[in-house]
Amino acid sequence: MEWASQLCENRHIGSKMTDSKYFTTTKKGEIFELKAELNSDKKEKKKEAVKKVIASMTVGKDVSALFPDVVNCMQTDNLELKKLVYLYLMNYAKSQPDMAIMAVNTFVKDCEDPNPLIRALAVRTMGCIRVDKITEYLCEPLRKCLKDEDPYVRKTAAVCVAKLHDINAQLVEDQGFLDTLKDLISDSNPMVVANAVAALSEIAESHPNSNLLDLNPQSINKLLTALNECTEWGQIFILDCLANYTPRDDRESQSICERVTPRLSHANSAVVLSAVKVLMKFMEMLPKDLDYYGTLLKKLAPPLVTLLSAEPELQYVALRNINLIVQKRPEILKHEMKVFFVKYNDPIYVKLEKLDIMIRLASQANIAQVLAELKEYATEVDVDFVRKAVRAIGRCAIKVEQSAERCVSTLLDLIQTKVNYVVQEAIVVIKDIFRKYPNKYESVIATLCENLDSLDEPEARAAMIWIVGEYAERIDNADELLESFLEGFHDESTQVQLQLLTAIVKLFLKKPTETQELVQQVLSLATQDSDNPDLRDRGYIYWRLLSTDPVAAKEVVLAEKPLISEETDLIEPTLLEELTCHIGTLASVYHKPPSAFVEGSRGVQHKRLPVRAGSGESSESPDASQPVGVVADTPPAVIPSQGDLLGDLLNLDLAPPTSSGPPVVPSMQMGAMDLLGGGLDSLMGDESETLGGDIGGSPAMGGGLASAPAAVAPSLGAPANSGLDMLFDLGGSVGMPSGSFVVPKAVWLPAMKAKGLEISGTFARRGGVLQMEISLTNKAMSVMTDFAIQFNRNSFGLAPAGPLQVLTPLSPNQTTEISLPLSTVGPVMKMEPLNNLQVAVKNNIDVFYFSCQYPISILFVEDGKMERQVFLATWKDIPNDNEAQFQIKDCHVNSDTATSRLQTCNIFTIAKRTVEGQDMLYQSIKLTNGIWILVELRVQTGSPGCMMSVKCRAPEVAQLVFQCYEMVLKTSSDA
């Protein structure tokens, strides 16, 4: 809180450092004493009283009753007293907006005070008082302060514009403050420029498409001039702003780089990283054969190395940023390998990050040095670090081919140590080395097999099984080894089970006569005795392959495997570009784009590095002509070909019903093919009979394939276009809403649980505004005042959009009705159930807690009507697993009534058609957080019920949508 930070500042104003006396325990009735002291004629007594009030406020005591008395103390020339009064005002103005207006005249007067400190203090405080009634009075003083002769006042006023914009954006635009703020970029004082840039950047973040910071070479020149003279935080604001500018050509890019480079030697690490971000971005524009390009690469290394001499927490942030830089431009730090060597006293998080960067910088020139270091790390006591070190040796072998033999030798030495976790990690990485260099290092397999009994981790067991299966022909007792794993098949992890299944099938294809029983056993375990769908599916695929075409099975299972890539953990190039533009921010530490972790309503812009002229990327290409992350505004192709069956949406009823008898099922059905019998003969001869019989008798395989669904056939004969035309012939049957649906009020908190306060209520959405309609009933004997409300974090970010307005004290046996507007930009946390809301209500007696559930219909927004083609495309795109079906029982309603009634809740009917007396309604809903919900509602005339299918990318909401439909439709049918 700003007032708290200012309080710390004020503690240094007084000549005597004895402020602790104000925080001693207060006695009863002190409010009345303070009131008298505040109205005293003696200035010292007044100041002492205000200090006591601030002390009480700081420790959480409610001193709002003294508001008018404290405000009266504003009329003073004493700067210390004025600051204290302003602190009090900032804290209590929101709960006492009517009283706060009393202070407006003093603010206006202080904004014209001869003392620039008082002028700045007044405008800063007015910006911190987030009360709508006061903002209109702030405009004139703010306009004057923005053009004040004193730079301190101007820089304070610049920040105040950003605060005012957060409260009332429209007012700021109407009053022309944004233009004044842009003018301040040309100010003669560097700190005013920095604050103007900071304010405009803050406003631009909440309006990504506003182009407020219209940067051009002239304004960039002014920013670079101010850069040398402002404070470190001012420099960060300006550098971050420069990073958003795209130079016209490589000459301008070089010029900016030359003027930013001195910032690399700054003592503040945030300034250094911001400068690195600008240089990394503008280097993209420089030709690589330019002398300055090489000079710049050399200049970037020393400041990054210097960052690693800071405390561990800063080191970690620096290392995460360096990790990105090394992936983008490894040449910057290629000669600095030694600074990433681990120190004995480094925390584990620093060690692991250094290890990662060492591997990224490993090359033929330094691999000997790196391997010696890694071998040393593998003998450390920290288990996690040792594991990572062993894996790093494997990664080096894969990355630098010339070092592979030395790496394998090092790994074998580590296996000889017989340290369990070292052996297991070594086996995992040796498997990857085999994949990278086939038929080169298989001589070590015998050594690996000696350690088979010591393997207890799933990944190591799976790696060893893969090695045995892949090189079964070179291992005499491969069948015995795999059989030993098979004994505890059901106790193994899924990873090991899948690998074991594949390895035994490989072994069978290589040595069919010796391993028939073994393969039968594993196929039976995988398909009939397992609940894991992945394992069952793989088992059935192998079973069918083996029984149908063993030659094809050999080609599939024993196919030559592609070589694994050098670095599998590199960040994807477009993401790396975006993260490079966010160096020095949280995104560069998380290695995630801001959109992945920034919550709230603010649009997050995706950033890209500039493209150098003549680099081969045409500026006229579709990708270059529009921002990253913006989907091209072209309608999706959803009209299918005739044989496409229209995907998942309406493949059963596109064509009109036919009266020519039952549909003809295509004669070539999957079940008609002999998938299961006798196919192993060519591989095994007569021995396959038993296996073939067992496979054919598997109930889980034959049952579902005997016939195709008969209802699919009609859709094959109907032209897709005519079906679509019929489907979307709405015929004007969708009615307009007559009034939104509101759930009746319920008692949320009974009086007996809340010391006489009864709270009942409901939720509503009217004119696009969410409201919590509350009834407060006082069933106690005393008057209730000072009401306030707060929500806990919830699934959809519901939060009060204003205070709980109980204008008069609530007398005994009195009820008051309140309509509390809600917003959906509060903090989000998934609740159980999803629509659960935890509420705290405070009054002068106590704080009371209760939970209630809101109907999801209040989150249905007014622009939820989807285009028809987009509806079809979206329905097809959402996986079938996300579809939920429900039955609404005892619901006597026709389709027109249902359509009209549902539209009052912002449930929009996209299409309607009738098939065999059943009306099919296709509807779309959009939630406040942007999630779309698609519904198919089937209404049978004369039938006391409806069926509905719900599809959504967040399937958790389906149950709540069903409850909403049930409530609305049953209400309408009862009516």
Side-chain angles (χ1 to χ4, degrees), residues 635-688:
V638 295
I639 307 291
S641 62
Q642 186 170 327
D644 191 59
L645 302 188
L646 198 57
D648 304 316
L649 179 54
L650 298 168
N651 56 356
L652 301 187
D653 56 5
L654 266 183
T658 57
S659 57
S660 57
V664 179
V665 178
S667 58
M668 187 180 173
Q669 296 175 358
M670 288 184 70
M673 296 171 63
D674 181 16
L675 293 180
L676 309 175
L680 290 177
D681 291 358
S682 58
L683 190 67
M684 293 177 55
D686 295 336
E687 291 179 351
S688 66

Short mmCIF file of all heavy atoms in Angstrom, two decimals, residues 635-688:
data_model
loop_
_atom_site.label_atom_id
_atom_site.label_comp_id
_atom_site.label_asym_id
_atom_site.label_seq_id
_atom_site.Cartn_x
_atom_site.Cartn_y
_atom_site.Cartn_z
N PRO A 635 -12.52 -17.20 -42.80
CA PRO A 635 -13.46 -18.17 -42.27
C PRO A 635 -12.93 -19.58 -42.45
O PRO A 635 -12.34 -19.90 -43.47
CB PRO A 635 -14.72 -17.96 -43.13
CG PRO A 635 -14.23 -17.27 -44.35
CD PRO A 635 -13.03 -16.49 -43.98
N PRO A 636 -13.07 -20.44 -41.44
CA PRO A 636 -12.55 -21.79 -41.55
C PRO A 636 -13.34 -22.59 -42.60
O PRO A 636 -14.53 -22.38 -42.77
CB PRO A 636 -12.78 -22.37 -40.14
CG PRO A 636 -13.83 -21.53 -39.54
CD PRO A 636 -13.72 -20.18 -40.17
N ALA A 637 -12.63 -23.47 -43.27
CA ALA A 637 -13.31 -24.30 -44.28
C ALA A 637 -14.05 -25.42 -43.60
O ALA A 637 -13.44 -26.36 -43.10
CB ALA A 637 -12.27 -24.85 -45.24
N VAL A 638 -15.35 -25.30 -43.50
CA VAL A 638 -16.11 -26.31 -42.76
C VAL A 638 -17.08 -27.08 -43.65
O VAL A 638 -17.68 -28.03 -43.20
CB VAL A 638 -16.90 -25.67 -41.60
CG1 VAL A 638 -15.98 -25.09 -40.59
CG2 VAL A 638 -17.85 -24.61 -42.11
N ILE A 639 -17.28 -26.67 -44.90
CA ILE A 639 -18.16 -27.44 -45.77
C ILE A 639 -17.40 -28.69 -46.19
O ILE A 639 -16.39 -28.60 -46.87
CB ILE A 639 -18.56 -26.64 -47.04
CG1 ILE A 639 -19.12 -25.28 -46.65
CG2 ILE A 639 -19.53 -27.42 -47.89
CD1 ILE A 639 -20.44 -25.31 -45.97
N PRO A 640 -17.83 -29.86 -45.78
CA PRO A 640 -17.04 -31.06 -46.04
C PRO A 640 -17.33 -31.63 -47.42
O PRO A 640 -18.31 -31.27 -48.06
CB PRO A 640 -17.52 -32.02 -44.95
CG PRO A 640 -18.94 -31.63 -44.74
CD PRO A 640 -19.04 -30.16 -45.02
N SER A 641 -16.47 -32.54 -47.83
CA SER A 641 -16.75 -33.27 -49.06
C SER A 641 -17.87 -34.26 -48.77
O SER A 641 -18.19 -34.55 -47.62
CB SER A 641 -15.50 -34.00 -49.51
OG SER A 641 -15.12 -34.93 -48.51
N GLN A 642 -18.41 -34.84 -49.85
CA GLN A 642 -19.60 -35.68 -49.69
C GLN A 642 -19.32 -36.88 -48.79
O GLN A 642 -20.16 -37.31 -48.02
CB GLN A 642 -20.07 -36.16 -51.06
CG GLN A 642 -21.39 -36.92 -51.00
CD GLN A 642 -21.95 -37.16 -52.39
OE1 GLN A 642 -21.74 -36.34 -53.26
NE2 GLN A 642 -22.61 -38.25 -52.59
N GLY A 643 -18.11 -37.40 -48.85
CA GLY A 643 -17.82 -38.61 -48.07
C GLY A 643 -17.28 -38.32 -46.70
O GLY A 643 -16.83 -39.21 -46.01
N ASP A 644 -17.30 -37.06 -46.27
CA ASP A 644 -16.68 -36.68 -45.01
C ASP A 644 -17.56 -36.94 -43.81
O ASP A 644 -17.10 -36.88 -42.67
CB ASP A 644 -16.32 -35.18 -45.08
CG ASP A 644 -15.43 -34.75 -43.94
OD1 ASP A 644 -14.35 -35.31 -43.80
OD2 ASP A 644 -15.85 -33.86 -43.19
N LEU A 645 -18.84 -37.18 -44.02
CA LEU A 645 -19.83 -37.41 -42.96
C LEU A 645 -20.01 -36.21 -42.04
O LEU A 645 -20.59 -36.32 -40.97
CB LEU A 645 -19.43 -38.63 -42.09
CG LEU A 645 -19.27 -39.95 -42.83
CD1 LEU A 645 -19.07 -41.06 -41.81
CD2 LEU A 645 -20.45 -40.26 -43.71
N LEU A 646 -19.47 -35.06 -42.44
CA LEU A 646 -19.59 -33.81 -41.66
C LEU A 646 -19.08 -33.97 -40.25
O LEU A 646 -19.57 -33.42 -39.29
CB LEU A 646 -21.05 -33.33 -41.64
CG LEU A 646 -21.22 -31.85 -41.25
CD1 LEU A 646 -20.44 -30.98 -42.19
CD2 LEU A 646 -22.67 -31.45 -41.28
N GLY A 647 -18.03 -34.77 -40.13
CA GLY A 647 -17.37 -34.88 -38.82
C GLY A 647 -18.28 -35.38 -37.73
O GLY A 647 -19.08 -36.28 -37.92
N ASP A 648 -18.15 -34.74 -36.57
CA ASP A 648 -18.86 -35.22 -35.40
C ASP A 648 -20.22 -34.58 -35.21
O ASP A 648 -20.99 -35.02 -34.37
CB ASP A 648 -18.03 -34.90 -34.14
CG ASP A 648 -16.66 -35.49 -34.26
OD1 ASP A 648 -16.58 -36.65 -34.67
OD2 ASP A 648 -15.70 -34.79 -33.95
N LEU A 649 -20.50 -33.47 -35.95
CA LEU A 649 -21.65 -32.66 -35.55
C LEU A 649 -22.98 -33.28 -35.91
O LEU A 649 -23.80 -33.61 -35.06
CB LEU A 649 -21.51 -31.27 -36.17
CG LEU A 649 -22.63 -30.30 -35.86
CD1 LEU A 649 -22.84 -30.19 -34.38
CD2 LEU A 649 -22.36 -28.95 -36.45
N LEU A 650 -23.22 -33.46 -37.21
CA LEU A 650 -24.56 -33.88 -37.62
C LEU A 650 -24.50 -35.06 -38.58
O LEU A 650 -25.28 -35.14 -39.52
CB LEU A 650 -25.27 -32.70 -38.29
CG LEU A 650 -25.46 -31.50 -37.35
CD1 LEU A 650 -25.90 -30.30 -38.14
CD2 LEU A 650 -26.50 -31.82 -36.30
N ASN A 651 -23.54 -35.96 -38.35
CA ASN A 651 -23.35 -37.00 -39.34
C ASN A 651 -24.50 -38.00 -39.38
O ASN A 651 -24.52 -38.86 -40.25
CB ASN A 651 -22.02 -37.72 -39.11
CG ASN A 651 -21.92 -38.29 -37.72
OD1 ASN A 651 -22.82 -38.08 -36.91
ND2 ASN A 651 -20.85 -39.00 -37.44
N LEU A 652 -25.43 -37.91 -38.45
CA LEU A 652 -26.52 -38.90 -38.46
C LEU A 652 -27.78 -38.39 -39.13
O LEU A 652 -28.66 -39.17 -39.41
CB LEU A 652 -26.85 -39.31 -37.01
CG LEU A 652 -25.68 -39.92 -36.23
CD1 LEU A 652 -26.19 -40.43 -34.90
CD2 LEU A 652 -25.03 -41.05 -37.00
N ASP A 653 -27.91 -37.10 -39.36
CA ASP A 653 -29.22 -36.66 -39.84
C ASP A 653 -29.14 -35.49 -40.81
O ASP A 653 -30.00 -34.64 -40.85
CB ASP A 653 -30.10 -36.25 -38.65
CG ASP A 653 -29.42 -35.19 -37.81
OD1 ASP A 653 -28.34 -34.73 -38.21
OD2 ASP A 653 -29.98 -34.83 -36.76
N LEU A 654 -28.10 -35.47 -41.65
CA LEU A 654 -28.05 -34.39 -42.64
C LEU A 654 -29.07 -34.60 -43.73
O LEU A 654 -29.63 -33.67 -44.27
CB LEU A 654 -26.65 -34.32 -43.26
CG LEU A 654 -25.70 -33.33 -42.60
CD1 LEU A 654 -24.38 -33.31 -43.35
CD2 LEU A 654 -26.29 -31.95 -42.53
N ALA A 655 -29.29 -35.85 -44.12
CA ALA A 655 -30.22 -36.11 -45.22
C ALA A 655 -31.63 -36.26 -44.68
O ALA A 655 -31.83 -36.65 -43.53
CB ALA A 655 -29.81 -37.40 -45.91
N PRO A 656 -32.65 -35.97 -45.52
CA PRO A 656 -34.02 -36.20 -45.06
C PRO A 656 -34.27 -37.68 -44.87
O PRO A 656 -33.61 -38.51 -45.48
CB PRO A 656 -34.87 -35.63 -46.22
CG PRO A 656 -33.96 -35.65 -47.40
CD PRO A 656 -32.59 -35.45 -46.89
N PRO A 657 -35.21 -38.04 -44.01
CA PRO A 657 -35.47 -39.46 -43.78
C PRO A 657 -35.93 -40.14 -45.07
O PRO A 657 -36.69 -39.58 -45.84
CB PRO A 657 -36.57 -39.46 -42.72
CG PRO A 657 -36.97 -38.05 -42.53
CD PRO A 657 -36.04 -37.16 -43.24
N THR A 658 -35.44 -41.34 -45.28
CA THR A 658 -35.83 -42.09 -46.48
C THR A 658 -36.88 -43.11 -46.12
O THR A 658 -36.90 -43.66 -45.03
CB THR A 658 -34.61 -42.80 -47.09
OG1 THR A 658 -34.07 -43.65 -46.08
CG2 THR A 658 -33.54 -41.82 -47.51
N SER A 659 -37.76 -43.41 -47.09
CA SER A 659 -38.84 -44.37 -46.83
C SER A 659 -38.66 -45.62 -47.64
O SER A 659 -39.60 -46.36 -47.88
CB SER A 659 -40.19 -43.71 -47.16
OG SER A 659 -40.17 -43.28 -48.50
N SER A 660 -37.46 -45.85 -48.13
CA SER A 660 -37.24 -47.00 -49.00
C SER A 660 -36.69 -48.20 -48.26
O SER A 660 -35.92 -48.96 -48.77
CB SER A 660 -36.27 -46.60 -50.11
OG SER A 660 -35.08 -46.14 -49.54
N GLY A 661 -37.09 -48.37 -47.03
CA GLY A 661 -36.65 -49.52 -46.27
C GLY A 661 -35.39 -49.23 -45.49
O GLY A 661 -34.88 -48.13 -45.49
N PRO A 662 -34.90 -50.22 -44.80
CA PRO A 662 -33.72 -50.01 -43.96
C PRO A 662 -32.50 -49.67 -44.79
O PRO A 662 -32.37 -50.12 -45.93
CB PRO A 662 -33.54 -51.36 -43.25
CG PRO A 662 -34.25 -52.35 -44.11
CD PRO A 662 -35.37 -51.61 -44.76
N PRO A 663 -31.61 -48.83 -44.24
CA PRO A 663 -30.42 -48.45 -45.00
C PRO A 663 -29.51 -49.63 -45.25
O PRO A 663 -29.46 -50.56 -44.45
CB PRO A 663 -29.74 -47.42 -44.08
CG PRO A 663 -30.27 -47.71 -42.73
CD PRO A 663 -31.65 -48.25 -42.92
N VAL A 664 -28.81 -49.55 -46.36
CA VAL A 664 -27.91 -50.64 -46.73
C VAL A 664 -26.56 -50.39 -46.06
O VAL A 664 -25.96 -49.34 -46.23
CB VAL A 664 -27.74 -50.69 -48.27
CG1 VAL A 664 -26.78 -51.82 -48.63
CG2 VAL A 664 -29.08 -50.88 -48.93
N VAL A 665 -26.11 -51.38 -45.35
CA VAL A 665 -24.79 -51.28 -44.72
C VAL A 665 -23.76 -51.73 -45.73
O VAL A 665 -23.95 -52.75 -46.39
CB VAL A 665 -24.73 -52.17 -43.46
CG1 VAL A 665 -23.37 -52.11 -42.83
CG2 VAL A 665 -25.81 -51.75 -42.49
N PRO A 666 -22.67 -50.98 -45.91
CA PRO A 666 -21.66 -51.40 -46.87
C PRO A 666 -21.19 -52.82 -46.58
O PRO A 666 -20.99 -53.20 -45.42
CB PRO A 666 -20.52 -50.39 -46.66
CG PRO A 666 -21.18 -49.21 -46.04
CD PRO A 666 -22.33 -49.73 -45.25
N SER A 667 -21.00 -53.58 -47.65
CA SER A 667 -20.70 -55.00 -47.46
C SER A 667 -19.30 -55.24 -46.93
O SER A 667 -19.03 -56.22 -46.28
CB SER A 667 -20.86 -55.74 -48.79
OG SER A 667 -20.00 -55.18 -49.75
N MET A 668 -18.38 -54.29 -47.18
CA MET A 668 -17.01 -54.51 -46.73
C MET A 668 -16.84 -53.95 -45.33
O MET A 668 -16.47 -52.83 -45.12
CB MET A 668 -16.04 -53.83 -47.69
CG MET A 668 -14.58 -54.15 -47.38
SD MET A 668 -13.48 -53.34 -48.52
CE MET A 668 -11.91 -53.71 -47.76
N GLN A 669 -17.18 -54.76 -44.34
CA GLN A 669 -17.07 -54.33 -42.96
C GLN A 669 -15.75 -54.83 -42.37
O GLN A 669 -15.20 -55.83 -42.82
CB GLN A 669 -18.23 -54.88 -42.14
CG GLN A 669 -19.58 -54.34 -42.59
CD GLN A 669 -20.70 -55.01 -41.83
OE1 GLN A 669 -20.46 -55.88 -41.02
NE2 GLN A 669 -21.92 -54.63 -42.12
N MET A 670 -15.31 -54.13 -41.32
CA MET A 670 -14.04 -54.54 -40.71
C MET A 670 -14.12 -55.95 -40.17
O MET A 670 -13.19 -56.72 -40.22
CB MET A 670 -13.66 -53.56 -39.59
CG MET A 670 -13.22 -52.21 -40.10
SD MET A 670 -12.67 -51.16 -38.77
CE MET A 670 -11.15 -51.98 -38.30
N GLY A 671 -15.29 -56.28 -39.61
CA GLY A 671 -15.43 -57.60 -38.99
C GLY A 671 -15.37 -58.73 -40.01
O GLY A 671 -15.12 -59.87 -39.66
N ALA A 672 -15.63 -58.43 -41.30
CA ALA A 672 -15.65 -59.47 -42.32
C ALA A 672 -14.26 -59.93 -42.69
O ALA A 672 -14.08 -61.00 -43.24
CB ALA A 672 -16.37 -58.95 -43.55
N MET A 673 -13.24 -59.10 -42.38
CA MET A 673 -11.88 -59.48 -42.74
C MET A 673 -11.33 -60.45 -41.69
O MET A 673 -11.59 -60.29 -40.50
CB MET A 673 -10.98 -58.24 -42.81
CG MET A 673 -11.39 -57.26 -43.90
SD MET A 673 -10.48 -55.73 -43.77
CE MET A 673 -8.82 -56.33 -44.03
N ASP A 674 -10.53 -61.38 -42.14
CA ASP A 674 -9.94 -62.33 -41.20
C ASP A 674 -8.69 -61.71 -40.60
O ASP A 674 -7.57 -61.96 -41.03
CB ASP A 674 -9.61 -63.65 -41.93
CG ASP A 674 -9.03 -64.67 -40.97
OD1 ASP A 674 -9.17 -64.46 -39.75
OD2 ASP A 674 -8.43 -65.65 -41.43
N LEU A 675 -8.96 -60.84 -39.61
CA LEU A 675 -7.82 -60.15 -38.99
C LEU A 675 -7.08 -61.04 -38.02
O LEU A 675 -5.96 -60.77 -37.64
CB LEU A 675 -8.32 -58.90 -38.23
CG LEU A 675 -8.88 -57.77 -39.07
CD1 LEU A 675 -9.31 -56.65 -38.17
CD2 LEU A 675 -7.88 -57.27 -40.09
N LEU A 676 -7.73 -62.09 -37.55
CA LEU A 676 -7.20 -62.76 -36.37
C LEU A 676 -6.66 -64.17 -36.61
O LEU A 676 -6.05 -64.72 -35.72
CB LEU A 676 -8.30 -62.83 -35.30
CG LEU A 676 -8.99 -61.50 -35.01
CD1 LEU A 676 -10.12 -61.71 -34.04
CD2 LEU A 676 -8.00 -60.50 -34.47
N GLY A 677 -6.96 -64.77 -37.71
CA GLY A 677 -6.66 -66.20 -37.82
C GLY A 677 -5.41 -66.51 -38.61
O GLY A 677 -5.15 -65.94 -39.66
N GLY A 678 -4.62 -67.49 -38.16
CA GLY A 678 -3.60 -68.16 -38.95
C GLY A 678 -2.52 -67.33 -39.59
O GLY A 678 -1.79 -67.83 -40.43
N GLY A 679 -2.38 -66.07 -39.26
CA GLY A 679 -1.41 -65.23 -39.96
C GLY A 679 0.02 -65.49 -39.57
O GLY A 679 0.94 -65.05 -40.24
N LEU A 680 0.25 -66.22 -38.48
CA LEU A 680 1.63 -66.45 -38.04
C LEU A 680 2.28 -67.63 -38.77
O LEU A 680 3.45 -67.91 -38.55
CB LEU A 680 1.65 -66.73 -36.53
CG LEU A 680 1.34 -65.55 -35.63
CD1 LEU A 680 1.32 -66.00 -34.19
CD2 LEU A 680 2.33 -64.44 -35.81
N ASP A 681 1.50 -68.31 -39.62
CA ASP A 681 2.03 -69.52 -40.25
C ASP A 681 3.33 -69.26 -40.99
O ASP A 681 4.27 -70.04 -40.91
CB ASP A 681 1.00 -70.11 -41.22
CG ASP A 681 -0.21 -70.67 -40.48
OD1 ASP A 681 -0.20 -70.63 -39.22
OD2 ASP A 681 -1.12 -71.13 -41.14
N SER A 682 3.35 -68.15 -41.73
CA SER A 682 4.54 -67.90 -42.55
C SER A 682 5.77 -67.67 -41.69
O SER A 682 6.89 -67.80 -42.15
CB SER A 682 4.30 -66.67 -43.43
OG SER A 682 4.01 -65.56 -42.61
N LEU A 683 5.54 -67.33 -40.42
CA LEU A 683 6.69 -67.05 -39.54
C LEU A 683 7.04 -68.26 -38.69
O LEU A 683 8.19 -68.54 -38.44
CB LEU A 683 6.35 -65.86 -38.64
CG LEU A 683 7.49 -65.26 -37.84
CD1 LEU A 683 8.49 -64.62 -38.78
CD2 LEU A 683 6.98 -64.23 -36.87
N MET A 684 5.99 -68.98 -38.24
CA MET A 684 6.21 -70.03 -37.24
C MET A 684 5.86 -71.43 -37.70
O MET A 684 6.16 -72.39 -37.01
CB MET A 684 5.36 -69.74 -35.99
CG MET A 684 5.77 -68.51 -35.24
SD MET A 684 4.66 -68.23 -33.87
CE MET A 684 4.75 -69.80 -33.03
N GLY A 685 5.15 -71.57 -38.81
CA GLY A 685 4.71 -72.91 -39.19
C GLY A 685 3.54 -73.36 -38.34
O GLY A 685 2.72 -72.58 -37.90
N ASP A 686 3.45 -74.65 -38.03
CA ASP A 686 2.29 -75.22 -37.34
C ASP A 686 2.18 -74.77 -35.89
O ASP A 686 1.13 -74.87 -35.28
CB ASP A 686 2.37 -76.76 -37.36
CG ASP A 686 2.26 -77.27 -38.78
OD1 ASP A 686 1.69 -76.53 -39.61
OD2 ASP A 686 2.76 -78.37 -39.06
N GLU A 687 3.25 -74.25 -35.33
CA GLU A 687 3.21 -73.86 -33.92
C GLU A 687 2.25 -72.71 -33.67
O GLU A 687 1.89 -72.43 -32.54
CB GLU A 687 4.61 -73.42 -33.47
CG GLU A 687 5.60 -74.58 -33.41
CD GLU A 687 6.97 -74.10 -32.99
OE1 GLU A 687 7.18 -72.88 -32.91
OE2 GLU A 687 7.82 -74.95 -32.73
N SER A 688 1.81 -72.02 -34.73
CA SER A 688 0.98 -70.84 -34.54
C SER A 688 -0.47 -71.16 -34.24
O SER A 688 -1.24 -70.27 -33.95
CB SER A 688 1.05 -69.96 -35.78
OG SER A 688 0.44 -70.64 -36.87
#
